[in-house]
Amino acid sequence: MQSQHAAQRPPHSSPDGPVVDVEQAEAALAEHYPRLVRLAYLLLPPGTGRSRRVLTAHALAQRALPRGRTTAPVIPAQSAQSAQAAQSAPPAESPPSAPPPGPDGDPGYALVRLQVVRTALRAGGPLRRALLSPPLPRVWGLRLHPRSGGADELALDQRLSALPGPARAAYVLRGLERLADDDVCRVLTEAGVADAAAALREADGVPAEYRLLDSPEFDPCSLQARPTDLLRRRRHLKVALAAGGALVVCGALLGLPGDGWGPDGAAAPSYAQNPAARAALDPAKLARVSSALWKVSARTDFSVWPARGDLTGDRDLLRRALAVWARPGERVQVSATPGTPSGGPAGPPQLLYAGTVDRARVVILHDGLRIARYAEPEGGARGAVLDLARVDGADRAGASAVVLSRVDGNVRYLAAPWVSEARYRDLREPDAGAKDLTLTDGVTSPLASPALRAGSCTSWNVLELTDGTRTRLMTDLAELVPARLTAGRPGAAGGASGDGVLRAWAPFACSLASVRSAGVRSVNAWAFAEQPLPDGAAGPAEWVCTRAETWRGGGSRVLAQFHTPGGPSGTVVAKAEDVPQCGARKPRVLAGVLWKSPAGTWYLLAAGSRGTRSVTATGGVEGTARGNLLTVEAERGARADLVGTLKDGGTITGLG
């Protein structure tokens, strides 16, 4: 049995190489300036610092303007074939997405793009110092850097940093510019690369996660600003008169040299001295609650967690954690889930944990809206990390656990005080038993996390937490708070770790990778239909809709998946974002797939949820069926539009 995807190809640019004057090149540069600066930022060599990399990217884009009339390279601005390669095509038929809009056929853009690539590649050569210290633009008194992305963006940036310049350029031209391999070779050759084919082969070693190149992590036009050393600038005259005294003051504010922590650790210099800001940074004013409050409180969320850990009395550590949260320095690695504000707390937050975990000192704080995790190495002052996650509106299930540490692919959790037992199991193997995790003052023993694992998906570990008589399933999605897994009809889904939930999720566990680092609060799997298969194929096939809800409300993601008996995993046939289908507001869905029977005949199979009176296909396939199931012969590669009539008189269209 097979299934297929179809795709559309946009027309190629003209093969002529027109002459471009300065005015045309300037218009192309001005119109596509953010795209060119992002391209330069991704191509620049690593190790220059994010602030300098931002300014250099802008300088390279601004200096790409030719001095006179110049012949433009004969290179299409975008290739649909490359755009297809940027996405992993599932084996089932679903409407393909058009490639993102780009400056197709603009010779002015092709010219300035080539100049940006050429100068960015030279930045890794003998002229590196001059190219990485451009005279303009300059920014005084501020450090600028793009907004932090998720774990996927960080992993991709590390992989690209390991590539040589030409291979990094090949990957970016494929993914960001949507160029076909032949066009990539032509750009690299004209940019001065000696062996463009070898660069393409090296780029093949990095997973094709091209959608991440459009992330705010790599956008040097959408920036965050942090002040430089304000106090040192104000004391500049004093330094000239009394250098020794000024050095003592700067050492007290900015930290002593070597591997020791200063009072504020890796935090940037203070720039707010109002009473509320000072109170939020005072470890003595941290909120702490009784260890028994959760047993009597009407609320059961993070606000009733007691402070745990062996370092809750370490005021120096707590002061550093608060200071870094309010003013993360340029060496602090900061991450935040989508929709999470990155500023410091408005007042004294609540202390949930302070202790030593896996050779690191970790502090967990809660300000009513967010969870903040601060971590620093146990033996030195470098490598501080700050993670933020939005958790407003958390209930008892949503406040069941927080990630304490990730080391060597393993994860440890801090469980809620009402959790009495912790286990883990492979979600893809529902018949395999769960394995026990130890709980020490709420801290679990480590377990292998599926969140940042590279390669094919062969297993998916989930956390089972027992709260009284209820056992809940949670999964790590590369964020501070694990997401809850449920199964059933939206609005009536069950989250207990029973056989029904486990078996409902088993074929679709690997699809959870598509919602990593998206601020997901819970994911529900709803088996909305079963469909007999034609030509005597073993059946029935199962139709399942998975919906990921986020902490911020927006950004929910819906997948329609199709699973045939004996198949190891479900196949994604349709997807949508921020739609009511498959949710509690509109618990209904309609989806279709092209499927090849064992006899070699292609069929359009479509299914609607309960309450669908009829299903109709139009376009490349014509057919109508009463009820919620449609089976009609089709040609390979056919496209069809689906419409369902509901029993209440309404209509529903195919997902996506």
Side-chain angles (χ1 to χ4, degrees), residues 381-602:
R382 295 180 179 271
V385 176
L386 176 67
D387 299 316
L388 299 169
R390 184 171 174 174
V391 294
D392 50 315
D395 56 10
R396 190 181 185 102
S400 294
V402 169
V403 170
L404 267 188
S405 74
R406 300 183 192 276
V407 177
D408 299 328
N410 295 323
V411 60
R412 286 183 190 266
Y413 295 95
L414 176 66
W418 50 81
V419 172
S420 57
E421 295 178 6
R423 294 178 295 274
Y424 74 97
R425 62 164 69 238
D426 183 358
L427 191 58
R428 297 195 65 186
E429 300 292 339
D431 293 326
K435 299 180 180 178
D436 291 334
L437 293 170
T438 60
L439 275 177
T440 305
D441 196 21
V443 179
T444 70
S445 51
L447 68 148
S449 169
L452 302 179
R453 178 181 54 203
S456 60
C457 176
T458 57
S459 63
W460 193 278
N461 283 343
V462 292
L463 183 67
E464 282 190 351
L465 298 178
T466 299
D467 168 13
T469 60
R470 294 182 60 86
T471 301
R472 297 184 174 93
L473 279 181
M474 316 292 288
T475 184
D476 182 17
L477 294 179
E479 297 176 335
L480 262 183
V481 181
R484 185 186 181 197
L485 298 181
T486 60
R489 183 177 176 83
S497 178
D499 288 343
V501 175
L502 294 172
R503 295 188 184 280
W505 266 108
F508 312 102
C510 291
S511 68
L512 290 167
S514 66
V515 293
R516 288 183 295 197
S517 303
V520 172
R521 177 175 188 162
S522 64
V523 191
N524 183 59
W526 174 32
F528 65 89
E530 288 188 346
Q531 185 167 19
L533 296 175
D535 291 349
E542 184 180 25
W543 288 92
V544 168
C545 179
T546 59
R547 182 182 178 95
E549 300 287 2
T550 67
W551 288 98
R552 64 190 183 278
S556 60
R557 301 185 185 182
V558 178
L559 303 179
Q561 303 192 55
F562 179 75
H563 180 235
T564 55
S569 300
T571 297
V572 176
V573 300
K575 62 179 70 175
E577 188 169 331
D578 283 327
V579 297
Q581 286 91 334
C582 196
R585 290 182 178 272
K586 290 188 177 180
R588 60 196 188 203
V589 66
L590 172 64
V593 63
L594 276 184
W595 177 81
K596 187 178 181 181
S597 74
T601 303
W602 285 94

Side-chain angles (χ1 to χ4, degrees), residues 201-216:
R201 289 193 296 272
E202 288 186 87
D204 289 337
V206 178
E209 297 176 316
Y210 298 136
R211 61 181 177 80
L212 299 179
L213 298 179
D214 292 321
S215 166

